Coordinates of all heavy atoms in Angstrom, one line a residue:
S1 N -12.9 82.2 -10.7 CA -13.8 82.7 -11.7 C -13.2 83.4 -12.8 O -12.0 84.0 -12.5 CB -14.8 83.6 -11.0 OG -15.6 84.3 -12.0
F2 N -13.6 83.4 -14.0 CA -13.0 84.0 -15.1 C -13.8 85.3 -15.5 O -13.4 86.1 -16.4 CB -13.1 83.1 -16.4 CG -12.3 81.8 -16.2 CD1 -12.9 80.6 -16.0 CD2 -10.9 81.8 -16.3 CE1 -12.1 79.5 -15.7 CE2 -10.1 80.8 -16.2 CZ -10.8 79.5 -15.9
E3 N -14.9 85.6 -14.7 CA -15.6 86.8 -14.9 C -15.0 88.0 -14.0 O -14.5 87.8 -13.0 CB -17.2 86.6 -14.5 CG -17.7 85.4 -15.4 CD -17.8 85.7 -16.7 OE1 -18.1 86.9 -17.1 OE2 -17.5 84.9 -17.6
P4 N -15.3 89.2 -14.5 CA -14.9 90.5 -13.6 C -15.7 90.5 -12.3 O -16.9 90.1 -12.3 CB -15.2 91.6 -14.6 CG -16.3 91.1 -15.5 CD -16.0 89.7 -15.8
I5 N -14.9 91.0 -11.4 CA -15.6 91.2 -10.1 C -16.4 92.4 -9.9 O -17.2 92.6 -9.0 CB -14.7 91.0 -8.9 CG1 -13.5 91.9 -9.0 CG2 -14.1 89.5 -8.8 CD1 -12.4 91.9 -7.9
Q6 N -16.0 93.4 -10.8 CA -16.6 94.7 -10.8 C -16.5 95.3 -12.2 O -15.4 95.1 -12.8 CB -16.1 95.6 -9.6 CG -16.8 96.9 -9.5 CD -16.3 97.7 -8.2 OE1 -15.5 97.2 -7.4 NE2 -16.8 98.9 -8.1
T7 N -17.5 96.1 -12.6 CA -17.4 96.8 -13.9 C -17.9 98.2 -13.6 O -19.0 98.4 -13.0 CB -18.3 96.1 -14.8 OG1 -17.8 94.7 -15.1 CG2 -18.3 96.8 -16.2
M8 N -17.2 99.1 -14.2 CA -17.6 100.5 -14.2 C -18.0 100.9 -15.6 O -17.1 101.2 -16.3 CB -16.5 101.5 -13.7 CG -16.1 101.2 -12.2 SD -14.9 99.9 -11.9 CE -13.9 100.6 -10.8
K9 N -19.1 101.1 -15.9 CA -19.6 101.5 -17.3 C -20.2 102.9 -17.3 O -21.3 103.2 -17.6 CB -20.8 100.5 -17.7 CG -20.3 99.1 -17.8 CD -21.2 98.0 -18.4 CE -21.2 98.3 -20.0 NZ -21.9 97.2 -20.7
N10 N -19.3 103.8 -16.8 CA -19.7 105.2 -16.6 C -19.3 106.2 -17.7 O -19.4 107.3 -17.8 CB -19.2 105.8 -15.5 CG -19.6 104.9 -14.2 OD1 -18.8 104.0 -13.7 ND2 -20.8 105.2 -13.6
F11 N -18.6 105.6 -18.8 CA -18.0 106.4 -19.9 C -18.9 106.5 -21.0 O -19.7 105.6 -21.3 CB -16.6 105.8 -20.2 CG -15.6 105.7 -19.2 CD1 -15.5 104.6 -18.3 CD2 -14.7 106.8 -19.0 CE1 -14.5 104.7 -17.2 CE2 -13.7 106.8 -18.0 CZ -13.6 105.7 -17.1
G12 N -18.7 107.5 -21.8 CA -19.5 107.7 -23.0 C -18.9 107.2 -24.3 O -19.4 107.3 -25.4
D13 N -17.6 106.7 -24.2 CA -16.8 106.3 -25.3 C -15.8 105.4 -24.9 O -15.6 105.0 -23.6 CB -16.3 107.3 -26.1 CG -16.1 107.1 -27.6 OD1 -15.8 105.9 -27.9 OD2 -16.4 108.0 -28.5
A14 N -14.8 104.8 -25.7 CA -13.9 103.9 -25.3 C -13.0 104.4 -24.2 O -12.5 105.6 -24.1 CB -13.0 103.6 -26.6
V15 N -12.6 103.5 -23.4 CA -11.6 103.8 -22.4 C -10.2 103.5 -23.0 O -9.9 102.3 -23.3 CB -11.8 102.9 -21.0 CG1 -10.7 103.1 -20.0 CG2 -13.2 103.1 -20.5
T16 N -9.3 104.4 -23.0 CA -8.0 104.3 -23.7 C -6.9 103.9 -22.7 O -5.9 103.3 -23.1 CB -7.7 105.5 -24.5 OG1 -7.6 106.6 -23.5 CG2 -8.6 105.6 -25.6
S17 N -7.0 104.4 -21.4 CA -6.0 104.2 -20.4 C -6.5 104.0 -19.1 O -7.4 104.7 -18.7 CB -5.1 105.5 -20.6 OG -3.9 105.3 -19.7
V18 N -5.9 103.2 -18.3 CA -6.2 103.1 -16.9 C -4.9 103.3 -16.0 O -3.7 103.0 -16.5 CB -6.8 101.7 -16.5 CG1 -8.2 101.5 -17.2 CG2 -5.9 100.6 -16.8
A19 N -5.1 103.7 -14.8 CA -3.9 103.8 -13.8 C -4.5 103.6 -12.5 O -5.7 103.6 -12.2 CB -3.3 105.3 -13.9
V20 N -3.6 103.3 -11.6 CA -4.0 103.0 -10.2 C -3.2 103.8 -9.1 O -2.0 104.0 -9.4 CB -3.7 101.4 -9.9 CG1 -4.1 101.2 -8.4 CG2 -4.6 100.6 -10.7
A21 N -3.8 104.4 -8.2 CA -3.2 105.3 -7.2 C -3.6 104.7 -5.9 O -4.8 104.5 -5.6 CB -3.6 106.7 -7.3
D22 N -2.7 104.7 -4.9 CA -2.9 104.4 -3.6 C -3.7 103.0 -3.5 O -4.5 102.8 -2.5 CB -3.9 105.5 -2.8 CG -3.2 106.8 -2.9 OD1 -2.0 106.9 -2.8 OD2 -4.0 107.8 -3.0
S23 N -3.4 102.2 -4.4 CA -4.0 100.8 -4.4 C -5.4 100.7 -4.5 O -5.9 99.7 -5.0 CB -3.5 100.1 -3.2 OG -3.7 98.7 -3.2
V24 N -6.2 101.7 -4.2 CA -7.6 101.5 -4.2 C -8.3 102.5 -5.1 O -9.6 102.4 -5.2 CB -8.3 101.6 -2.7 CG1 -7.8 100.5 -1.9 CG2 -7.9 102.9 -2.0
Q25 N -7.5 103.5 -5.6 CA -8.1 104.5 -6.6 C -7.8 104.0 -8.0 O -6.6 103.9 -8.3 CB -7.6 105.8 -6.2 CG -8.1 106.5 -5.1 CD -7.6 107.9 -4.9 OE1 -6.5 108.2 -5.1 NE2 -8.4 108.8 -4.5
V26 N -8.9 103.8 -8.7 CA -8.7 103.4 -10.1 C -9.1 104.7 -11.1 O -10.2 105.3 -10.8 CB -9.7 102.3 -10.5 CG1 -9.6 102.0 -11.9 CG2 -9.3 101.1 -9.7
L27 N -8.2 105.0 -12.0 CA -8.4 106.1 -12.9 C -8.5 105.6 -14.3 O -7.8 104.7 -14.7 CB -7.3 107.2 -12.7 CG -7.1 107.8 -11.5 CD1 -6.2 107.0 -10.5 CD2 -6.5 109.3 -11.6
G28 N -9.3 106.3 -15.1 CA -9.6 106.0 -16.5 C -9.6 107.2 -17.3 O -10.3 108.0 -17.0
G29 N -9.0 107.1 -18.4 CA -9.1 108.2 -19.5 C -9.8 107.7 -20.7 O -9.7 106.5 -21.0
S30 N -10.7 108.5 -21.3 CA -11.6 108.1 -22.3 C -11.7 109.0 -23.6 O -11.3 110.2 -23.4 CB -13.0 108.0 -21.8 OG -14.0 107.7 -22.7
V31 N -12.0 108.4 -24.6 CA -12.3 109.2 -25.8 C -13.4 110.1 -25.6 O -13.6 111.2 -26.3 CB -12.6 108.3 -27.1 CG1 -12.8 109.0 -28.3 CG2 -11.4 107.3 -27.3

């Protein structure tokens, strides 16, 4: 599939940076 398997739309503005910790923790920084 070319579609995302999961989407997190919890931000109020653009997501500028992502990082991964412990393989299962996803972090995002936003405007």
Side-chain angles (χ1 to χ4, degrees):
S1 172
F2 298 102
E3 300 298 320
I5 56 173
Q6 190 170 349
T7 300
M8 296 85 141
K9 303 190 74 170
N10 305 94
F11 297 89
D13 209 323
V15 179
T16 54
S17 182
V18 297
V20 176
D22 302 326
S23 190
V24 295
Q25 286 185 319
V26 174
L27 295 87
S30 172
V31 178

